[in-house]
C-alpha cells in the first residue's frame, strides 16, 4: 500500500478527537487526507465522538465477516476501523484514525510503515477534561489516569503535547499530516 496510516493515540482526555477535528477542518477537502469514522458499540450522542454505532451482536458479526481492518475492546466497548480504509491507503492517501494504545502491536503487524502520534497533556488538565464530560465517576477517572501502556508504542512515535491552546497542538498535527500527504502548508 502506498498511503500512510497515521494512528492517533493517547489517554482519554488528552484531546485526540479535538486534534483530529482541527486537522479535518483544514485538510479533508484536499482529498489526500482521510479521517476514518470508527464503529463503536455505543450510541452516538452529543457528548462523544462522531462514530457509527453497532450493538454487540452486529459488531461481532461484522468482525467475524472481515469488515474491520482493526478492532479492539476498551472500557467495556468494542471499536472497529472499517476495512474500506485500505482502499484509501492503496490510492496513496494519508489515513488518520483514533486508536487505543493497546492495539498498536496489531496495527504495526498489519501496517508496518504506520506513523504513531502520541498525544499527551498535563495530568490535571486530563482530569478536568474527563470530569467535564460527566460520563465517569471520580474513581474511574483515577483509574484512567493511572493506566500506562506507553511500552506498547514504537520508538519512532511522534509526540504532541495538547496541554495548551488547541490551535498550537492542532497546527503541529496538521503540519505533520500535510508533510505525510505531500501538501503545501495551508494551516
Amino acid at each position: 500500500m502506498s498511503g500512510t496510516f497515521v494512528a492517533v493515540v493517547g489517554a482519554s482526555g488528552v484531546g485526540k478527537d479535538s486534534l483530529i477535528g482541527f486537522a479535518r477542518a483544514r485538510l479533508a477537502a484536499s482529498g489526500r487526507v482521510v479521517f476514518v469514522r470508527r464503529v463503536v458499540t455505543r450510541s452516538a450522542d452529543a457528548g462523544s465522538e462522531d462514530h457509527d454505532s453497532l450493538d454487540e451482536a452486529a459488531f461481532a458479526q461484522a468482525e467475524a465477516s472481515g469488515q474491520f481492518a482493526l478492532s479492539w475492546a476498551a472500557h467495556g466497548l468494542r471499536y472497529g476501523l472499517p476495512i474500506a480504509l485500505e482502499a484509501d491507503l492503496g490510492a496513496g492517501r494519508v489515513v488518520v484514525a483514533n486508536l487505543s494504545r493497546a492495539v498498536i502491536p496489531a496495527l504495526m503487524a498489519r501496517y508496518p510503515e504506520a506513523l504513531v502520534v502520541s498525544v499527551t497533556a498535563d495530568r490535571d488538565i486530563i482530569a478536568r477534561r474527563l470530569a467535564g464530560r460527566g460520563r465517569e465517576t471520580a474513581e474511574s477517572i483515577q483509574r484512567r489516569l493511572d493506566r500506562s501502556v506507553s511500552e506498547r508504542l514504537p520508538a519512532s512515535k511522534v509526540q504532541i503535547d495538547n496541554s495548551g491552546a488547541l490551535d498550537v497542538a492542532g497546527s503541529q498535527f496538521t503540519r505533520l499530516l500535510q508533510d505525510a500527504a505531500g501538501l503545501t502548508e495551508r494551516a
Side-chain angles (χ1 to χ4, degrees):
M1 293 184 204
S2 60
T4 302
F5 193 114
V6 177
V8 181
V9 301
S12 293
V14 296
K16 298 178 300 289
D17 289 330
S18 295
L19 284 180
I20 290 170
F22 184 95
R24 180 186 296 117
R26 287 150 181 82
L27 299 176
S30 74
R32 298 278 307 130
V33 182
V34 176
F35 298 86
V36 178
R37 186 176 167 102
R38 300 193 303 183
V39 177
V40 184
T41 57
R42 170 179 57 209
S43 297
D45 63 40
S48 67
E49 72 175 285
D50 186 23
H51 65 276
D52 291 326
S53 297
L54 288 177
D55 65 27
E56 290 284 342
F59 189 97
Q61 184 178 19
E63 189 174 41
S65 65
Q67 293 181 36
F68 299 129
L70 292 167
S71 59
W72 65 95
H75 309 293
L77 300 170
R78 300 280 298 150
Y79 297 82
L81 301 181
I83 193 72
L85 69 82
E86 293 192 345
D88 288 314
L89 287 171
R93 294 182 185 94
V94 173
V95 173
V96 181
N98 178 345
L99 292 178
S100 168
R101 293 165 290 179
V103 80
I104 294 302
L107 168 77
M108 299 311 290
R110 187 164 183 134
Y111 309 109
E113 302 301 316
L115 173 62
V116 176
V117 177
S118 176
V119 182
T120 63
D122 293 337
R123 187 178 172 96
D124 60 325
I125 290 171
I126 294 170
R128 277 197 311 267
R129 288 175 182 168
L130 291 173
R133 291 179 183 173
R135 294 191 311 225
E136 299 183 60
T137 65
E139 295 78 25
S140 66
I141 290 172
Q142 189 61 48
R143 280 194 302 276
R144 283 186 184 265
L145 291 171
D146 292 340
R147 185 171 173 247
S148 175
V149 291
S150 61
E151 68 278 359
R152 297 179 182 142
L153 300 181
S156 62
K157 74 182 179 297
V158 173
Q159 188 163 313
I160 295 178
D161 184 344
N162 192 23
S163 297
L166 177 60
D167 63 332
V168 173
S171 293
Q172 183 182 357
F173 182 55
T174 300
R175 283 191 302 276
L176 180 126
L177 296 177
Q178 287 171 320
D179 289 348
L183 295 170
T184 58
E185 186 158 330
R186 289 192 280 213

